[in-house]
Amino acid sequence: MASELYNTIDALSREKGIDPQIVVSAVEDAIVVATRKYYKTQENLRAELDKDTGKIRAFAIKTVVEAPEQVEDPLLQVTLDDARKVDPSVEIGGELHIPKVTEGILGRIAAQLAKQVIFQKVREAERDTVYNEYIGRVGEIVNATVKRIEGPDVIFDLGKAESRMPRKEQSRLESFAIGERVRVVIARVERASKGPAVVVSRAAPELVQHLFQTEVPEIYDGTVVIRAIAREAGERTKIAVMSKDKDVDAVGACVGMKGMRVQSIIRELRGEKIDIIEYHEDAVTFAEKALQPAKVSRVSVLEGTEKHLEVVVDDSQLSLAIGKKGQNVRLAAKLLGWKIDIKSEEEKRQEVEQQMSQLVAPSSTPLADVPGLGEGLVEKLGAAGVTTVEALADMTPEQLEAIEGIGPKTVEKISLAVNNYFSSLEGGEMAPAEGELAAESAEGQETAADGTVEAVAAEDVAADETAEVDAVSEPVEAEASTEEPAEEPAPSEGKK
């Protein structure tokens, strides 16, 4: 029959939810500490509790060695001969138990010390029990009672342990009264110096999922499946659902007749807004649904591997799509698991125009790449700020002559070189109607004898002077020829 002491230990173990052997070990360790303090010894002590009688005996443990010279520490070792004086059955390498008297000698101080050791061991065992109990229940919904409020934290009673709900795990819409029963999510279990800390939450998405499973039978039996939840506690929750039965409307089942089901959940969450969205495998279609209540114009995938979407909405829908402080697009991105960029139609149009202007922007060619322009001429043009062929082609002859060191002949040389360059790019000769400079350079190309612009200009001038002389002399000859026949009738008058 068990002793009264053991029965007390058993009752304490049941109350704390720990193994009775842990309490027995704590009592034995306490007796060892008290005995060591009383005898003021460093011997290896051990205590044993007799379950039937309730008595606790203490022993000094020494290892048996064969010869005296093998004894290194007399407090821990004893020779075989000395050991057999106490216990004839002991062998070399065995342990000799030397009884220590404890009854009637361990006074009040020793008893108080033993009590402290027992309490400490029991608390440690209780902490381990609580930790092992709740570490495997993270994410589970449990019913808790508000025990007290410590500043911003709320302390709950879970039955076997206390839990703490910090401010960041609370909804801003909720307040609690002592004694109130609420449903909470076990967020995490932390090991601490004062014992395991069970942290619970009312802001976790698992709470919304549990409430839908409770209120919607189709979700409970698996006909409707919750695929994703994105939540900002106290503000808004987006939940994506899909139906495994084509005859069951997933969104309608969650809303309920006249919104009764979802309204019940909203009341439990103290008025938090809930958007129920039909899930789609296609990310583009899912994004259009997730950004409700905003109307989306179009969605395009920018990067498939990086999961990046671009959403374009009407200018009037931009603020609605983004939401208050970016909440709507933030929850939609969390629901999809994609990064979302939202742009208005005007922003997209400006972006496209900018890209097109960059595509059609003319290329620039340095003057040094144009054959026919000498290094000196390139330096003169560069000093005037003209560094590309395109800029040079846009200049008029008057603008070129305004540059120091460039005269009319040099302008013709530049015109010829520029036109030859562009003609080579186009693969043919320029049309005569390209402008005044082009016409002049084409005329120079036809009359050039030695391939230089200066020679062409000189020949043009000589040809012009010759043409002018011929033009003047021709009328004189014509006048002379017309006057000669007028003198012929004179002889005929003499005959008369």
Side-chain angles (χ1 to χ4, degrees), residues 200-271:
V200 296
S201 172
R202 289 273 299 175
E206 290 83 358
L207 179 62
V208 180
Q209 181 175 354
H210 173 77
L211 293 176
F212 270 96
Q213 290 174 348
T214 304
E215 295 292 336
V216 183
E218 289 83 356
I219 294 179
Y220 183 78
D221 62 21
T223 305
V224 176
V225 181
I226 298 175
R227 295 301 303 267
I229 296 179
R231 185 186 183 201
E232 290 188 2
E235 298 289 345
R236 183 180 291 272
T237 295
K238 287 183 181 288
I239 178 171
V241 295
M242 67 173 293
S243 175
K244 293 184 177 180
D245 188 345
K246 63 180 181 179
D247 297 329
V248 177
D249 180 15
V251 176
C254 294
V255 173
M257 185 177 295
K258 296 182 180 180
M260 292 179 60
R261 292 176 176 176
V262 71
Q263 286 299 327
S264 177
I265 298 172
I266 291 174
R267 283 194 299 270
E268 172 71 21
L269 299 176
R270 308 297 198 273

Side-chain angles (χ1 to χ4, degrees), residues 319-358:
S319 60
L320 187 61
I322 295 174
K324 183 180 179 181
K325 298 180 181 179
Q327 182 187 84
N328 192 54
V329 66
R330 187 165 58 248
L331 287 175
K334 190 183 299 184
L335 194 70
L336 270 73
W338 286 60
K339 183 180 178 183
I340 298 177
D341 290 344
I342 292 189
K343 298 176 181 178
S344 66
E345 293 282 4
E346 179 64 21
E347 291 174 344
K348 185 62 178 177
R349 185 184 63 79
Q350 293 177 358
E351 180 182 333
V352 172
E353 288 179 354
Q354 183 179 2
Q355 292 175 352
M356 292 299 295
S357 63
Q358 292 176 354

Side-chain angles (χ1 to χ4, degrees), residues 406-481:
I406 296 181
K409 294 182 179 180
T410 309
V411 170
E412 294 178 1
K413 176 183 177 181
I414 293 172
S415 175
L416 178 63
V418 170
N419 280 279
N420 286 339
Y421 171 76
F422 284 113
S423 298
S424 65
L425 293 180
E426 294 176 0
E429 294 185 356
M430 297 286 288
E434 287 294 328
E436 185 177 344
L437 286 177
E440 292 176 2
S441 62
E443 183 181 356
Q445 288 177 348
E446 292 175 358
T447 57
D450 57 354
T452 62
V453 177
E454 289 80 4
V456 172
E459 290 181 4
D460 287 344
V461 172
D464 290 343
E465 292 176 351
T466 305
E468 290 176 358
V469 172
D470 293 341
V472 172
S473 59
E474 285 177 358
V476 174
E477 293 175 357
E479 291 176 359
S481 61

Side-chain angles (χ1 to χ4, degrees), residues 9 12-13 15-20 22-27 115-129:
I9 291 174
L12 177 64
S13 302
E15 179 185 350
K16 299 295 184 180
I18 58 179
D19 187 2
I22 295 176
V23 182
V24 171
S25 300
V27 173
K115 179 181 177 182
Q116 292 176 358
V117 173
I118 293 172
F119 283 171
Q120 180 181 355
K121 294 289 185 180
V122 170
R123 279 197 300 268
E124 290 176 356
E126 189 177 7
R127 292 170 184 172
D128 292 339
T129 302

Side-chain angles (χ1 to χ4, degrees), residues 62-83 92 96:
K62 292 187 178 182
T63 304
V64 180
V65 296
E66 184 177 3
E69 58 271 13
Q70 294 178 342
V71 177
E72 298 177 358
D73 188 347
L75 295 177
L76 302 178
Q77 295 172 322
V78 63
T79 62
L80 179 61
D81 296 337
D82 293 339
I92 297 175
L96 176 64

Side-chain angles (χ1 to χ4, degrees), residues 120-393:
Q120 180 181 355
K121 294 289 185 180
V122 170
R123 279 197 300 268
E124 290 176 356
E126 189 177 7
R127 292 170 184 172
D128 292 339
T129 302
V130 171
Y131 183 83
N132 295 330
E133 170 75 19
Y134 290 101
I135 189 62
R137 300 175 62 183
V138 174
E140 183 179 332
I141 308 295
V142 296
N143 291 320
T145 304
V146 179
K147 191 171 185 179
R148 63 183 183 275
I149 298 175
E150 297 180 351
D153 297 349
V154 181
I155 308 301
F156 291 92
D157 184 8
L158 300 179
K160 293 183 179 180
E162 288 185 352
S163 61
R164 177 176 57 89
M165 184 165 67
R167 182 61 188 168
K168 67 178 182 179
E169 299 293 347
Q170 302 175 28
S171 170
R172 68 174 186 84
L173 301 177
E174 296 180 331
S175 59
F176 304 96
I178 296 176
E180 182 181 0
R181 287 184 62 82
V182 294
R183 282 178 282 193
V184 295
V185 181
I186 299 177
R188 58 187 181 275
V189 182
E190 303 171 345
R191 283 192 178 273
S193 58
K194 295 182 179 180
V198 181
V199 180
V200 296
S201 172
R202 289 273 299 175
E206 290 83 358
L207 179 62
V208 180
Q209 181 175 354
H210 173 77
L211 293 176
F212 270 96
Q213 290 174 348
T214 304
E215 295 292 336
V216 183
E218 289 83 356
I219 294 179
Y220 183 78
D221 62 21
T223 305
V224 176
V225 181
I226 298 175
R227 295 301 303 267
I229 296 179
R231 185 186 183 201
E232 290 188 2
E235 298 289 345
R236 183 180 291 272
T237 295
K238 287 183 181 288
I239 178 171
V241 295
M242 67 173 293
S243 175
K244 293 184 177 180
D245 188 345
K246 63 180 181 179
D247 297 329
V248 177
D249 180 15
V251 176
C254 294
V255 173
M257 185 177 295
K258 296 182 180 180
M260 292 179 60
R261 292 176 176 176
V262 71
Q263 286 299 327
S264 177
I265 298 172
I266 291 174
R267 283 194 299 270
E268 172 71 21
L269 299 176
R270 308 297 198 273
E272 183 176 317
K273 298 179 179 65
I274 298 178
D275 295 338
I276 303 173
I277 301 163
E278 186 177 358
Y279 177 81
H280 287 272
E281 294 289 346
D282 180 26
V284 173
T285 307
F286 193 17
E288 293 178 357
K289 300 286 186 181
L291 287 169
Q292 292 177 352
K295 296 181 180 179
V296 177
S297 299
R298 58 186 180 276
V299 180
S300 57
V301 179
L302 295 180
E303 181 60 51
T305 57
E306 298 293 332
K307 293 187 174 183
H308 193 179
L309 292 176
E310 182 184 67
V311 178
V312 180
V313 299
D314 192 71
D315 295 351
S316 61
Q317 296 288 313
L318 182 61
S319 60
L320 187 61
I322 295 174
K324 183 180 179 181
K325 298 180 181 179
Q327 182 187 84
N328 192 54
V329 66
R330 187 165 58 248
L331 287 175
K334 190 183 299 184
L335 194 70
L336 270 73
W338 286 60
K339 183 180 178 183
I340 298 177
D341 290 344
I342 292 189
K343 298 176 181 178
S344 66
E345 293 282 4
E346 179 64 21
E347 291 174 344
K348 185 62 178 177
R349 185 184 63 79
Q350 293 177 358
E351 180 182 333
V352 172
E353 288 179 354
Q354 183 179 2
Q355 292 175 352
M356 292 299 295
S357 63
Q358 292 176 354
L359 290 175
V360 301
S363 59
S364 57
T365 305
L367 293 178
D369 295 345
V370 180
L373 297 178
E375 294 183 1
L377 183 56
V378 171
E379 292 178 359
K380 291 178 182 179
L381 292 172
V386 182
T387 58
T388 64
V389 179
E390 291 75 18
L392 183 60

